[in-house]
Amino acid sequence: ANGAFETIDLDNNNGNKNNDEVSSLLHSYGHPKPKKLLTTNFEHLFQSFGGTLHNELGSLMLYTILQSSPIFAASIAVRSDLDMLVLPLLRTMYFSSSITNHISGRTTAASSAPTPTGEAISSASTVSVMERPFRSQSQLYVIMILLLIFSQDTSFGPDSFRRSNIPVVVWYKERHLKDISLGSLMVLSLLRSISYNLNRMQDPFLLSNCCAVFLNLSPHIVNLHSYASMRLASVLISIMKRYTVLVMKNGGKPAEEGDVNSLLGMYGEACRILMQVVKHSIRRKVIDKNLHLIYALVYHQRDFNTVLRAKRSPFRP
């Protein structure tokens, strides 16, 4: 209950072997092993997490408490302001896919400028650590696990697209986003992470979790933002084209379903998941609520036809 003091059992692992590892990570930050019982105010705890989830310690602590206290997890699930926790996670995930260098506690953004001889020279501009909160790949793992936990709740998907509306997203630089639903912002963040992962990191664990979150959200996608709709169509086409090339290089043999241990398999899995997302979003029950996505698909119709008609295309019937 809001404002009520509840007891959290921090020694209860609930059968989750990851808790020991997370607890050891917390201990590495200098935090002593917690006592068995901790009495706290859930409302204050929720508010505190809203201001600390941008750093690795905050996200690790939230994961630990969610796994250790079913009561706290249940209190989180019924809240209508869950965007207070999700937005910091999306912001950190956004910056994690930026091309940055982390040197001695400073974050620098690399840029290139041509010289009179045509060669590119690299320059770096110092950026505030608070502006670039991403620290490590392990932090990204925890963020994706938290988003997956949230998306597994039956009310999270519908609420994120129908009830949670964000007036303006100041940290999103590619487009001025205003009056966008939390669900549409999650779609944009997941698409960005999938693209960055395929092009640079090629991490099977991150791809699998991104796809799992996407699948959990897909049945509830309604009123998808116009920019999110266009990005969904364009990213799908880009991945389909790359997957077609990889299949041709593999002698026309497509990847096995669920295989994410090879580059071919990762692109194949990403194609499969994104096509399922599109399929869910334009089914008869919700097609009139996703007209922006219909327009985006029609806009890119020629590109889709090019991929489908390509020689040895894995998307041919």
Side-chain angles (χ1 to χ4, degrees):
N2 286 346
F5 284 89
E6 300 287 353
T7 299
I8 300 177
D9 185 357
L10 291 177
D11 282 347
N12 178 15
N13 286 330
N14 293 324
N16 193 326
K17 297 181 180 180
N18 291 330
N19 284 359
D20 291 337
E21 298 179 9
V22 174
S23 297
S24 65
L25 283 172
L26 289 171
H27 184 68
S28 68
Y29 279 91
H31 288 252
K33 183 179 179 180
K35 296 180 180 180
K36 185 175 182 179
L37 296 180
L38 171 66
T39 301
T40 187
N41 185 300
F42 279 3
E43 179 65 23
H44 292 169
L45 189 60
F46 180 87
Q47 297 291 337
S48 298
F49 276 129
T52 59
L53 284 183
H54 64 277
N55 62 59
E56 189 167 5
L57 179 58
S59 55
L60 282 170
M61 183 66 77
L62 177 59
Y63 172 80
T64 302
I65 295 180
L66 285 175
Q67 294 298 307
S68 302
S69 174
I71 300 176
F72 179 71
S75 71
I76 290 286
V78 298
R79 296 189 68 104
S80 60
D81 55 351
L82 196 55
D83 55 296
M84 287 187 61
L85 300 185
V86 177
L87 281 177
L89 298 176
L90 296 182
R91 177 178 177 268
T92 303
M93 191 166 70
Y94 172 86
F95 284 118
S96 73
S97 55
S98 299
I99 304 176
T100 58
N101 302 311
H102 303 271
I103 305 173
S104 302
R106 296 184 305 164
T107 305
T108 58
S111 60
S112 299
T115 63
T117 61
E119 298 178 352
I121 58 174
S122 176
S123 63
S125 56
T126 302
V127 181
S128 169
V129 168
M130 291 303 295
E131 293 177 6
R132 302 278 184 173
F134 179 66
R135 295 292 179 273
S136 66
Q137 194 164 332
S138 61
Q139 181 183 4
L140 191 55
Y141 288 161
V142 178
I143 289 174
M144 290 308 306
I145 292 173
L146 287 174
L147 292 178
L148 181 59
I149 292 174
F150 291 150
S151 68
Q152 289 171 340
D153 183 75
T154 55
S155 63
F156 178 82
D159 288 349
S160 63
F161 284 97
R162 298 175 185 272
R163 297 177 59 182
S164 300
N165 199 61
I166 305 165
V168 62
V169 185
V170 296
W171 43 263
Y172 200 93
K173 304 301 181 183
E174 286 75 14
R175 185 72 171 258
H176 179 63
L177 298 178
K178 60 180 182 179
D179 295 326
I180 183 173
S181 67
L182 178 63
S184 293
L185 185 58
M186 287 189 68
V187 168
L188 283 172
S189 300
L190 291 170
L191 288 172
R192 181 183 175 94
S193 292
I194 289 175
S195 298
Y196 187 81
N197 188 22
L198 290 174
N199 293 328
R200 292 180 177 273
M201 300 177 67
Q202 298 174 6
D203 188 312
F205 179 82
L206 290 178
L207 179 65
S208 297
N209 280 275
C210 272
C211 291
V213 176
F214 239 139
L215 283 180
N216 289 340
L217 292 177
S218 60
H220 311 290
I221 295 179
V222 292
N223 301 318
L224 190 63
H225 191 272
S226 58
Y227 182 61
S229 300
M230 195 63 71
R231 285 294 298 157
L232 177 56
S234 60
V235 170
L236 176 57
I237 289 173
S238 176
I239 295 177
M240 289 174 66
K241 288 181 178 179
R242 178 59 177 161
Y243 179 56
T244 301
V245 172
L246 292 174
V247 169
M248 290 180 179
K249 291 182 178 179
N250 197 41
K253 183 180 179 181
E256 296 182 3
E257 183 174 329
D259 173 32
V260 292
N261 295 318
S262 64
L263 188 61
L264 175 67
M266 292 178 70
Y267 272 92
E269 184 70 4
C271 284
R272 186 179 69 85
I273 296 302
L274 291 185
M275 285 191 288
Q276 286 192 31
V277 171
V278 172
K279 179 182 177 181
H280 277 113
S281 303
I282 59 175
R283 66 189 190 277
R284 180 180 300 181
K285 185 178 180 180
V286 298
I287 190 171
D288 60 329
K289 299 177 182 178
N290 284 319
L291 297 181
H292 288 304
L293 180 57
I294 298 297
Y295 171 78
L297 295 173
V298 173
Y299 181 82
H300 289 287
Q301 183 177 5
R302 180 177 297 179
D303 296 318
F304 280 114
N305 288 333
T306 300
V307 176
L308 293 174
R309 294 172 182 172
K311 185 180 180 180
R312 294 185 181 180
S313 172
F315 303 104
R316 284 187 174 182

